[in-house]
Amino acid sequence: MRPRILIWLVPALLPFAALILQLGLWEYVQPGIWFFFFPAVFASAWLGGVRMAIPAALISAALVRYYFMSPSHSLDVSSSNHLFPLLSFLVAAALLGFMRDRMRAAQQDVSHRDHDLSLMFNTMSEGVALNECVFDANGEMIDYRVLRVNQAFYSTADYQGKQVVGSLATELYGMSADTIREFWLNHRHQNAVQQSEFQSPISGNYYIISTSPIIRGHFVTSFFDITGRKQMEEALRARELDLARSQQ
């Protein structure tokens, strides 16, 4: 019930608040008959779009006509001297309300899209990270910073409980300056996703990493752990060597 009450209460109160201010300060703001009423209508439009802007504008127009247009204490609008400025004010209020409604709809659309992307982002089985390049004075990449990761990042890379977001790759992954430079040289001119195999110098685990093109200093990495596969391959090779030796 409260939002419905506000829809009618706010546009009713703001014009009267503007009237009180304008009557009290009229000697300072005259002949600006809309001086305090424009802010009142703008506030109504910002709070409730067209639904609040139009009632606030109608009340404001009636108050302005009654108190600040000649002859005062009249609601007669038969004269074009009254009608044109009043209609202009109402049209401006409607446009303000319409623009605010469009802005709110766009914000809600962005919010819904962000929610959908976050849901998809956090239900992926691969670890995913959004990264920001760190450049030196010559524009060469010397490191990169992790800006955002999904839930699978922690379970896949085994970083649960460790500070990840905001960390530099050299600190988080143990990447050397030469590794960063090689990464930069291999990816700065790429326009397609690149895949590579990486062994963590910290955990020793093996990963397949997919890296997006670098766009405006940002790129995305996704990865999955292949340590188990590598261990099976090594065990298979060792078994094949043992078999070959036994047959000699």
Side-chain angles (χ1 to χ4, degrees):
M1 290 295 294
R2 186 173 298 176
R4 292 184 179 180
I5 294 175
L6 288 176
I7 289 175
W8 299 106
L9 192 60
V10 169
L13 291 179
L14 287 178
F16 283 102
L19 173 65
I20 292 171
L21 285 172
Q22 190 149 302
L23 287 174
L25 300 172
W26 181 238
E27 61 178 309
Y28 302 104
V29 301
Q30 61 177 321
I33 59 176
W34 306 103
F35 191 85
F36 287 103
F37 291 95
F38 263 119
V41 171
F42 180 84
S44 296
W46 184 263
L47 290 171
V50 171
R51 290 191 301 173
M52 285 190 181
I54 295 299
L58 289 171
I59 296 173
S60 296
L63 293 174
V64 167
R65 171 63 191 93
Y66 190 80
Y67 286 99
F68 301 105
M69 286 183 172
S70 297
S72 61
H73 299 89
S74 171
L75 292 176
D76 178 31
V77 292
S78 58
S79 171
S80 60
N81 292 332
H82 300 145
L83 190 60
F84 180 75
L86 291 173
L87 287 177
S88 299
F89 179 74
L90 292 174
V91 170
L95 288 175
L96 280 173
F98 176 75
M99 291 172 61
R100 178 54 180 162
D101 285 340
R102 292 291 299 271
M103 185 185 301
R104 182 177 286 112
Q107 290 172 340
Q108 290 175 348
D109 185 54
V110 169
S111 178
H112 291 156
R113 290 186 182 183
D114 185 65
H115 175 267
D116 293 341
L117 287 174
S118 295
L119 183 62
M120 183 173 62
F121 187 62
N122 286 312
T123 53
M124 296 176 66
S125 58
E126 297 88 355
V128 181
L130 173 64
N131 310 288
E132 177 185 43
C133 298
V134 177
F135 299 102
D136 62 13
N138 298 318
E140 296 295 325
M141 180 178 172
I142 56 174
D143 211 333
Y144 65 86
R145 181 176 289 105
V146 180
L147 298 181
R148 187 177 179 184
V149 298
N150 67 344
Q151 292 297 323
F153 180 97
Y154 295 102
S155 57
T156 305
D158 197 26
Y159 284 110
Q160 194 68 42
K162 185 174 181 178
Q163 181 64 35
V164 172
V165 176
S167 295
L168 295 172
T170 50
E171 301 169 351
L172 185 64
Y173 307 128
M175 298 176 71
S176 65
D178 290 338
T179 304
I180 294 290
R181 176 172 174 75
E182 182 181 359
F183 172 88
W184 172 240
L185 293 175
N186 291 335
H187 290 85
R188 61 179 174 176
H189 297 307
Q190 295 294 334
N191 295 318
V193 174
Q194 302 294 309
Q195 285 192 335
S196 59
E197 189 175 298
F198 173 74
Q199 183 180 20
S200 170
I202 298 176
S203 65
N205 290 347
Y206 290 89
Y207 301 94
I208 290 291
I209 300 179
S210 298
T211 306
S212 73
I214 298 174
I215 301 175
R216 293 190 294 275
H218 294 76
F219 64 96
V220 174
T221 51
S222 63
F223 59 92
F224 56 92
D225 194 333
I226 60 168
T227 305
R229 191 183 78 184
K230 297 290 286 187
Q231 290 172 345
M232 290 179 62
E233 290 174 353
E234 290 174 3
L236 182 60
R237 281 195 296 268
R239 184 176 301 176
E240 289 174 348
L241 286 174
D242 290 342
L243 181 59
R245 288 170 185 167
S246 65
Q247 293 175 349
Q248 291 178 356

